[in-house]
Amino acid sequence: MAESGPDPVATLVRDAAFDAYSAGLFAPAGARPHLYALQAFDIELSRVRDLTREPLPGEMRFQWWRDALADPARADAAAHPVMRALEAAIRYGALPRQALQDLIDARNDDLYDDPLPTVGDLEARLGATRSALLRLSSLILARGRDPGGADAAGHGGLALGLTQIARELSRAPQRVARLVPVELLAAQGVGQGDLERNEAPAALVAALRALALRHLNAARAAYPALDPVAAPAFLPLALVASDLTRRGPGDGLRWLRLARLWRASRRSTPF
Protein backbone atom coordinates (compact mmCIF):
# COMPACT_ATOMS: atom_id res chain seq x y z
CA MET A 1 0.00 0.00 0.00
CA ALA A 2 1.38 3.41 -0.98
CA GLU A 3 1.95 5.85 1.83
CA SER A 4 -0.13 8.98 1.80
CA GLY A 5 1.68 12.24 1.20
CA PRO A 6 1.80 15.26 3.48
CA ASP A 7 -1.43 17.01 4.27
CA PRO A 8 -1.66 19.91 1.78
CA VAL A 9 -3.81 21.96 4.15
CA ALA A 10 -1.39 21.72 7.08
CA THR A 11 1.50 22.39 4.68
CA LEU A 12 -0.19 25.54 3.42
CA VAL A 13 -0.65 26.83 6.97
CA ARG A 14 2.92 25.92 7.95
CA ASP A 15 4.35 27.79 4.98
CA ALA A 16 2.08 30.84 5.05
CA ALA A 17 1.22 31.28 8.75
CA PHE A 18 3.88 29.58 10.83
CA ASP A 19 2.71 31.04 14.14
CA ALA A 20 -0.81 29.66 13.62
CA TYR A 21 0.63 26.33 12.51
CA SER A 22 2.88 26.11 15.57
CA ALA A 23 0.06 27.05 17.94
CA GLY A 24 -2.01 24.25 16.43
CA LEU A 25 0.63 21.73 17.50
CA PHE A 26 -0.43 22.37 21.11
CA ALA A 27 -4.14 21.79 20.39
CA PRO A 28 -5.80 18.39 20.89
CA ALA A 29 -5.02 16.09 17.97
CA GLY A 30 -8.69 15.73 17.06
CA ALA A 31 -9.16 19.48 16.68
CA ARG A 32 -5.85 20.25 14.99
CA PRO A 33 -6.77 19.50 11.35
CA HIS A 34 -9.92 21.57 11.72
CA LEU A 35 -8.00 24.54 13.11
CA TYR A 36 -5.64 24.25 10.15
CA ALA A 37 -8.59 24.07 7.76
CA LEU A 38 -9.98 27.33 9.11
CA GLN A 39 -6.57 29.01 8.88
CA ALA A 40 -6.07 27.70 5.35
CA PHE A 41 -9.46 29.13 4.36
CA ASP A 42 -8.40 32.55 5.62
CA ILE A 43 -5.04 32.24 3.87
CA GLU A 44 -6.80 31.49 0.58
CA LEU A 45 -9.01 34.54 1.04
CA SER A 46 -6.15 36.84 2.03
CA ARG A 47 -4.18 35.85 -1.09
CA VAL A 48 -6.88 36.87 -3.54
CA ARG A 49 -5.73 40.48 -3.69
CA ASP A 50 -2.17 39.43 -4.54
CA LEU A 51 -3.38 37.03 -7.25
CA THR A 52 -5.53 39.52 -9.12
CA ARG A 53 -4.64 42.88 -10.65
CA GLU A 54 -8.21 44.14 -10.92
CA PRO A 55 -11.14 43.90 -8.49
CA LEU A 56 -13.45 41.99 -10.85
CA PRO A 57 -11.37 38.76 -11.02
CA GLY A 58 -11.00 38.98 -7.25
CA GLU A 59 -14.75 39.36 -6.83
CA MET A 60 -15.19 36.22 -8.95
CA ARG A 61 -12.79 34.26 -6.73
CA PHE A 62 -14.63 35.35 -3.61
CA GLN A 63 -17.92 34.41 -5.22
CA TRP A 64 -16.56 30.90 -5.80
CA TRP A 65 -15.97 30.57 -2.06
CA ARG A 66 -19.46 31.88 -1.27
CA ASP A 67 -21.02 29.36 -3.66
CA ALA A 68 -18.85 26.54 -2.30
CA LEU A 69 -19.94 27.31 1.25
CA ALA A 70 -23.58 27.33 0.18
CA ASP A 71 -23.25 24.06 -1.77
CA PRO A 72 -20.21 22.11 -0.52
CA ALA A 73 -21.34 18.93 -2.30
CA ARG A 74 -20.84 20.37 -5.78
CA ALA A 75 -17.97 18.73 -7.65
CA ASP A 76 -15.50 21.60 -7.75
CA ALA A 77 -16.00 22.40 -4.06
CA ALA A 78 -15.67 18.77 -2.97
CA ALA A 79 -12.47 18.44 -5.02
CA HIS A 80 -10.81 21.49 -3.48
CA PRO A 81 -8.62 20.33 -0.55
CA VAL A 82 -9.14 23.46 1.56
CA MET A 83 -12.89 23.59 0.97
CA ARG A 84 -13.18 19.88 1.72
CA ALA A 85 -11.24 20.32 4.96
CA LEU A 86 -13.26 23.41 5.86
CA GLU A 87 -16.50 21.49 5.46
CA ALA A 88 -15.19 18.89 7.92
CA ALA A 89 -14.28 21.71 10.32
CA ILE A 90 -17.77 23.17 10.01
CA ARG A 91 -19.26 19.85 11.05
CA TYR A 92 -16.73 19.28 13.85
CA GLY A 93 -17.09 22.72 15.42
CA ALA A 94 -20.68 23.47 14.43
CA LEU A 95 -19.34 26.60 12.76
CA PRO A 96 -22.03 29.02 11.57
CA ARG A 97 -21.82 29.31 7.80
CA GLN A 98 -22.90 32.93 7.98
CA ALA A 99 -19.82 33.76 10.03
CA LEU A 100 -17.65 32.26 7.28
CA GLN A 101 -19.59 34.16 4.62
CA ASP A 102 -18.98 37.31 6.67
CA LEU A 103 -15.26 36.55 6.66
CA ILE A 104 -15.36 36.37 2.86
CA ASP A 105 -17.17 39.72 2.72
CA ALA A 106 -14.58 41.30 5.02
CA ARG A 107 -11.69 40.01 2.90
CA ASN A 108 -13.49 41.27 -0.20
CA ASP A 109 -12.76 44.82 1.01
CA ASP A 110 -9.06 44.11 0.45
CA LEU A 111 -9.64 44.35 -3.31
CA TYR A 112 -10.11 48.08 -3.09
CA ASP A 113 -7.63 50.74 -2.07
CA ASP A 114 -10.12 53.05 -0.42
CA PRO A 115 -8.30 54.72 2.50
CA LEU A 116 -9.38 53.97 6.04
CA PRO A 117 -10.29 57.35 7.58
CA THR A 118 -9.96 56.51 11.28
CA VAL A 119 -8.39 54.09 13.72
CA GLY A 120 -11.91 52.85 14.42
CA ASP A 121 -12.27 51.86 10.76
CA LEU A 122 -9.05 49.86 10.94
CA GLU A 123 -10.19 48.19 14.15
CA ALA A 124 -13.48 47.27 12.50
CA ARG A 125 -11.60 45.72 9.56
CA LEU A 126 -9.34 43.70 11.83
CA GLY A 127 -12.26 42.71 14.06
CA ALA A 128 -14.09 41.27 11.06
CA THR A 129 -11.04 39.22 10.06
CA ARG A 130 -8.49 38.50 12.80
CA SER A 131 -10.92 38.62 15.73
CA ALA A 132 -13.51 36.56 13.85
CA LEU A 133 -10.88 33.93 13.13
CA LEU A 134 -9.98 33.70 16.82
CA ARG A 135 -13.63 33.30 17.75
CA LEU A 136 -14.22 30.57 15.16
CA SER A 137 -11.09 28.74 16.30
CA SER A 138 -12.48 28.82 19.85
CA LEU A 139 -15.68 27.20 18.65
CA ILE A 140 -13.72 24.40 17.01
CA LEU A 141 -11.82 23.69 20.22
CA ALA A 142 -15.09 23.69 22.18
CA ARG A 143 -16.78 21.39 19.60
CA GLY A 144 -19.43 24.01 18.83
CA ARG A 145 -20.19 24.91 22.43
CA ASP A 146 -19.84 28.60 23.31
CA PRO A 147 -16.54 28.84 25.25
CA GLY A 148 -17.10 32.48 26.19
CA GLY A 149 -14.24 34.90 25.82
CA ALA A 150 -15.79 37.00 23.05
CA ASP A 151 -14.11 40.14 24.38
CA ALA A 152 -10.77 38.35 24.61
CA ALA A 153 -11.13 37.25 20.99
CA GLY A 154 -12.13 40.75 19.93
CA HIS A 155 -9.19 42.51 21.52
CA GLY A 156 -6.82 39.62 20.82
CA GLY A 157 -7.53 39.72 17.10
CA LEU A 158 -6.91 43.45 17.04
CA ALA A 159 -3.62 43.01 18.89
CA LEU A 160 -2.49 40.38 16.36
CA GLY A 161 -3.52 42.42 13.35
CA LEU A 162 -2.04 45.70 14.57
CA THR A 163 1.22 43.99 15.49
CA GLN A 164 1.49 42.54 12.00
CA ILE A 165 0.86 45.95 10.41
CA ALA A 166 3.44 47.61 12.67
CA ARG A 167 5.96 44.90 11.81
CA GLU A 168 5.39 45.39 8.06
CA LEU A 169 5.59 49.18 8.41
CA SER A 170 9.05 48.87 9.88
CA ARG A 171 10.39 46.79 6.98
CA ALA A 172 8.13 47.12 3.90
CA PRO A 173 5.68 50.03 4.35
CA GLN A 174 4.22 49.82 0.86
CA ARG A 175 2.74 46.41 1.64
CA VAL A 176 0.40 47.80 4.29
CA ALA A 177 0.09 51.45 3.23
CA ARG A 178 -3.63 51.07 2.47
CA LEU A 179 -4.31 49.84 6.02
CA VAL A 180 -2.83 52.79 7.89
CA PRO A 181 -5.66 55.17 8.89
CA VAL A 182 -5.60 58.66 7.44
CA GLU A 183 -5.94 60.19 10.91
CA LEU A 184 -2.77 58.44 12.08
CA LEU A 185 -0.87 59.59 9.00
CA ALA A 186 -2.05 63.16 9.52
CA ALA A 187 -1.03 63.11 13.17
CA GLN A 188 2.51 62.19 12.14
CA GLY A 189 2.62 64.55 9.16
CA VAL A 190 2.92 61.63 6.76
CA GLY A 191 1.13 61.00 3.48
CA GLN A 192 0.19 57.62 2.03
CA GLY A 193 2.59 58.38 -0.80
CA ASP A 194 5.44 58.31 1.70
CA LEU A 195 4.52 54.76 2.67
CA GLU A 196 4.25 53.78 -0.99
CA ARG A 197 7.85 54.99 -1.34
CA ASN A 198 8.83 52.70 1.54
CA GLU A 199 9.23 55.52 4.01
CA ALA A 200 7.59 55.10 7.42
CA PRO A 201 8.66 57.31 10.34
CA ALA A 202 9.45 55.56 13.58
CA ALA A 203 6.78 57.60 15.37
CA LEU A 204 4.07 56.09 13.14
CA VAL A 205 5.26 52.56 13.87
CA ALA A 206 5.37 53.40 17.58
CA ALA A 207 1.78 54.68 17.49
CA LEU A 208 0.55 51.40 16.01
CA ARG A 209 2.59 49.39 18.51
CA ALA A 210 1.09 51.36 21.39
CA LEU A 211 -2.40 50.67 20.06
CA ALA A 212 -1.61 46.96 19.71
CA LEU A 213 -0.33 46.86 23.29
CA ARG A 214 -3.53 48.45 24.60
CA HIS A 215 -5.58 45.75 22.90
CA LEU A 216 -3.23 43.03 24.17
CA ASN A 217 -3.73 44.26 27.73
CA ALA A 218 -7.51 44.37 27.21
CA ALA A 219 -7.41 40.80 25.90
CA ARG A 220 -5.47 39.73 29.01
CA ALA A 221 -8.07 41.35 31.23
CA ALA A 222 -10.90 39.57 29.41
CA TYR A 223 -9.15 36.20 29.13
CA PRO A 224 -10.42 34.71 32.44
CA ALA A 225 -13.92 34.56 30.94
CA LEU A 226 -12.69 32.03 28.34
CA ASP A 227 -13.17 28.32 28.88
CA PRO A 228 -9.63 26.83 29.07
CA VAL A 229 -10.58 24.33 26.39
CA ALA A 230 -10.21 27.15 23.85
CA ALA A 231 -6.81 28.32 25.13
CA PRO A 232 -4.76 26.96 22.18
CA ALA A 233 -6.53 29.40 19.85
CA PHE A 234 -5.01 32.26 21.84
CA LEU A 235 -1.43 30.98 21.93
CA PRO A 236 -0.23 33.27 19.09
CA LEU A 237 -0.88 36.19 21.42
CA ALA A 238 2.07 34.96 23.48
CA LEU A 239 4.29 36.27 20.68
CA VAL A 240 2.78 39.75 20.47
CA ALA A 241 4.64 41.40 23.35
CA SER A 242 8.04 40.27 22.05
CA ASP A 243 7.13 41.27 18.49
CA LEU A 244 6.20 44.76 19.69
CA THR A 245 9.60 45.22 21.32
CA ARG A 246 11.70 43.30 18.82
CA ARG A 247 15.10 44.80 18.28
CA GLY A 248 16.96 42.11 16.38
CA PRO A 249 16.23 39.68 13.52
CA GLY A 250 16.93 36.71 15.77
CA ASP A 251 13.55 37.13 17.44
CA GLY A 252 11.94 36.00 14.18
CA LEU A 253 13.66 32.60 14.16
CA ARG A 254 11.11 29.82 13.93
CA TRP A 255 12.64 27.65 16.64
CA LEU A 256 12.58 30.59 19.06
CA ARG A 257 8.94 31.38 18.32
CA LEU A 258 8.04 27.72 18.76
CA ALA A 259 9.87 27.65 22.10
CA ARG A 260 7.92 30.70 23.28
CA LEU A 261 4.66 29.04 22.31
CA TRP A 262 5.67 25.87 24.18
CA ARG A 263 6.37 27.88 27.34
CA ALA A 264 3.09 29.76 26.93
CA SER A 265 1.15 26.50 26.51
CA ARG A 266 2.25 25.47 30.00
CA ARG A 267 0.90 28.61 31.71
CA SER A 268 -2.64 29.14 32.92
CA THR A 269 -2.71 32.44 31.02
CA PRO A 270 -0.67 31.99 27.85
CA PHE A 271 -0.03 35.64 27.05
Side-chain angles (χ1 to χ4, degrees):
M1 180 182 297
E3 293 185 4
S4 59
D7 176 8
V9 174
T11 299
L12 171 62
V13 178
R14 182 196 65 199
D15 294 344
F18 183 75
D19 290 349
Y21 173 81
S22 299
L25 298 176
F26 300 99
R32 191 176 305 142
H34 306 301
L35 292 171
Y36 288 159
L38 179 62
Q39 290 289 340
F41 172 59
D42 185 62
I43 290 167
E44 292 278 7
L45 298 181
S46 66
R47 284 179 168 179
V48 170
R49 176 187 166 90
D50 294 333
L51 294 174
T52 57
R53 293 180 178 272
E54 300 292 335
L56 183 57
E59 294 271 10
M60 294 173 65
R61 285 178 179 265
F62 284 127
Q63 189 58 47
W64 184 90
W65 285 103
R66 292 187 185 96
D67 294 341
L69 269 173
D71 184 12
R74 56 186 251 186
D76 57 341
H80 194 291
V82 173
M83 185 61 226
R84 191 167 59 246
L86 180 64
E87 184 61 24
I90 291 170
R91 293 194 300 270
Y92 181 91
L95 301 183
R97 290 182 188 273
Q98 186 57 54
L100 297 167
Q101 294 283 5
D102 292 344
L103 191 56
I104 296 173
D105 293 342
R107 287 294 186 186
N108 194 89
D109 291 341
D110 291 343
L111 298 177
Y112 302 91
D113 290 328
D114 299 332
L116 296 171
T118 69
V119 169
D121 293 314
L122 173 58
E123 290 173 331
R125 175 77 68 87
L126 294 175
T129 52
R130 299 303 295 267
S131 299
L133 204 63
L134 261 182
R135 179 69 173 154
L136 289 167
S137 297
S138 298
L139 289 175
I140 288 173
L141 288 160
R143 295 297 300 267
R145 177 177 52 80
D146 184 359
D151 286 344
H155 288 291
L158 296 185
L160 288 167
L162 288 163
T163 300
Q164 182 178 9
I165 294 171
R167 189 165 60 237
E168 289 293 339
L169 265 184
S170 66
R171 60 189 184 189
Q174 80 279 7
R175 288 179 57 86
V176 292
R178 63 191 170 82
L179 294 175
V180 181
V182 173
E183 70 173 2
L184 268 186
L185 293 173
Q188 301 298 331
V190 180
Q192 198 164 46
D194 296 311
L195 301 186
E196 295 290 352
R197 290 190 295 273
N198 250 9
E199 300 170 3
L204 179 60
V205 177
L208 281 167
R209 284 176 171 166
L211 184 59
L213 184 58
R214 287 201 294 273
H215 282 293
L216 179 65
N217 288 333
R220 283 176 177 147
Y223 185 79
L226 179 76
D227 187 323
V229 73
F234 288 76
L235 275 178
L237 285 165
L239 302 171
V240 167
S242 61
D243 284 346
L244 291 175
T245 58
R246 181 183 299 177
R247 292 294 180 266
D251 285 335
L253 293 174
R254 287 187 166 189
W255 70 264
L256 184 56
R257 299 180 77 78
L258 185 58
R260 285 177 174 152
L261 290 173
W262 176 78
R263 288 195 296 269
S265 73
R266 300 169 65 84
R267 298 196 295 262
S268 57
T269 301
F271 61 94

